[in-house]
Amino acid sequence: MSDFLEADAPILGGKPSPFPLPAGCHTLAVREVEHYTDTLFRFRVSRPMDFRFRSGEFAMIGLPNAERPVFRAYSMASPAWDDELEFFSIKVPDGPLTEHLQKIQPGDTVLMRKKATGTLTNDSLLPGKRLWMFSTGTGIAPFASLIRDPETYDKFETVILVHGCRTVAELKYGENLVAALNEDPLIGELVHGRLIHYTTVTREPFARQGRITDLIETGKLFDDLGVPRMGPEEDRVMICGSMDMLKDTKDLCLSHGLTEGTNSRPAQFVVERAFVD
């Protein structure tokens, strides 16, 4: 049986792609592209009517630019109720996918495998008082989905989005998102006073500086926010970022008495290991 399906040629760079479509893929039309820095951009695409996912999950994304295209894991940054899909991406000059993905424009085609999955979902955590979302770089993407989902505020009293980047400019995606969310007619009332956005940078002067793990370990993060240190009774945690950040933050959660959970066994913190920023 062939690995490919016959279909109309997708568009790439404003021109029809000469390559056949892989089987088991959705073809998504690019609706919008916004570049933030020379290393970060976001894009929005059409959403297939039969594509279902839980806020916080990811899918495999590719481009119709090869006989056997490269696919990489990308979190949906849009919530489960959105009629479009949003993704937040790095730009890697020699990256097998991102070298080409960063050049997409409205009207182009993006490929997406049909199954969504991931551990950063509300179902993976037990109910609690505070939900901490620890992210670095593009690791904010699944949390961009979750902070726009009413279910998150049904389950937790306070949601604390912690985003660490190298430079101030790299914080812009999250800052724009949170500002717009507070004014959103659908979810703004739920978010107001309950979503806290804590940003920090490591390579430039800024009001808050330092690695997230250092801010947790020293207690500065909790002192800045005026909340108790993390504990298993009231706090729940989601973690997404670089490999070192995942390991170090997981160790800190364990040292604070939290237990790791999964979709099938909810607990007090979860880590997304499918990709790193």
Side-chain angles (χ1 to χ4, degrees):
M1 182 176 178
S2 173
D3 288 337
F4 297 96
L5 295 176
E6 293 184 1
D8 294 336
I11 303 299
L12 194 61
K15 301 177 181 179
S17 168
F19 299 103
L21 292 175
C25 282
H26 290 296
T27 55
L28 315 176
V30 177
R31 305 294 193 194
E32 179 185 354
V33 182
E34 182 176 4
H35 295 266
Y36 294 95
T37 70
D38 59 356
T39 60
L40 295 172
F41 73 109
R42 74 173 179 94
F43 58 99
R44 291 182 69 86
V45 297
S46 58
R47 177 176 177 172
M49 292 185 64
D50 61 347
F51 181 65
R52 300 288 181 267
F53 71 97
R54 295 175 298 174
S55 295
E57 289 189 317
F58 67 87
M60 303 301 293
I61 294 292
L63 289 173
N65 62 348
E67 188 77 18
R68 295 187 180 278
V70 173
F71 284 84
R72 292 289 185 267
Y74 271 77
S75 289
M76 275 68 71
S78 46
W81 53 261
D82 202 330
D83 58 5
E84 290 185 343
L85 300 175
E86 181 174 299
F87 299 94
F88 184 45
S89 178
I90 57 172
K91 306 175 188 179
V92 180
D94 299 319
L97 176 60
T98 59
E99 177 184 7
H100 308 286
L101 188 65
Q102 64 185 287
K103 300 173 185 177
I104 59 172
Q105 57 192 36
D108 282 352
T109 303
V110 172
L111 305 178
M112 183 179 70
R113 297 290 188 191
K114 293 184 177 181
K115 180 177 174 56
T117 188
T119 59
L120 299 181
T121 66
N122 286 314
D123 294 338
S124 298
L125 293 174
L126 297 171
K129 182 176 181 179
R130 286 176 295 273
L131 173 59
W132 295 87
M133 298 173 168
F134 293 124
S135 63
T136 55
T138 56
I140 193 177
F143 303 142
S145 175
L146 285 157
I147 64 173
R148 290 188 262 192
D149 194 323
E151 181 186 351
T152 303
Y153 302 93
D154 290 341
K155 194 165 185 176
F156 303 99
E157 293 181 20
T158 303
V159 178
I160 306 172
L161 173 61
V162 181
H163 189 205
C165 291
R166 296 169 302 173
T167 67
V168 176
E170 292 173 344
L171 298 172
K172 188 174 179 61
Y173 173 78
E175 290 173 339
N176 288 354
L177 172 64
V178 172
L181 198 55
N182 277 287
E183 303 299 324
D184 189 279
L186 295 177
I187 198 173
E189 289 187 8
L190 279 177
V191 170
H192 188 68
R194 298 176 63 192
L195 173 63
I196 299 170
H197 187 204
Y198 184 99
T199 53
T200 179
V201 301
T202 58
R203 298 187 185 179
E204 286 185 347
F206 188 60
R208 292 170 299 278
Q209 291 181 281
R211 296 173 67 237
I212 290 173
T213 47
D214 291 338
L215 297 170
I216 295 172
E217 196 163 16
T218 62
K220 178 173 170 51
L221 172 63
F222 311 107
D223 293 341
D224 284 350
L225 296 175
V227 299
R229 270 53 171 173
M230 290 189 302
E233 292 80 16
E234 297 185 328
D235 294 286
R236 303 294 178 261
V237 175
M238 294 179 172
I239 309 167
C240 191
S242 67
M243 190 61 72
D244 288 343
M245 179 267 196
L246 298 182
K247 179 185 180 301
D248 293 345
T249 311
K250 173 183 174 177
D251 289 345
L252 286 167
C253 287
L254 293 171
S255 72
H256 281 256
L258 279 67
T259 302
E260 186 170 4
T262 64
N263 282 318
S264 59
R265 191 182 66 254
Q268 293 144 347
F269 78 92
V270 286
V271 182
E272 185 54 79
R273 298 182 178 84
F275 49 88
V276 297
D277 65 4

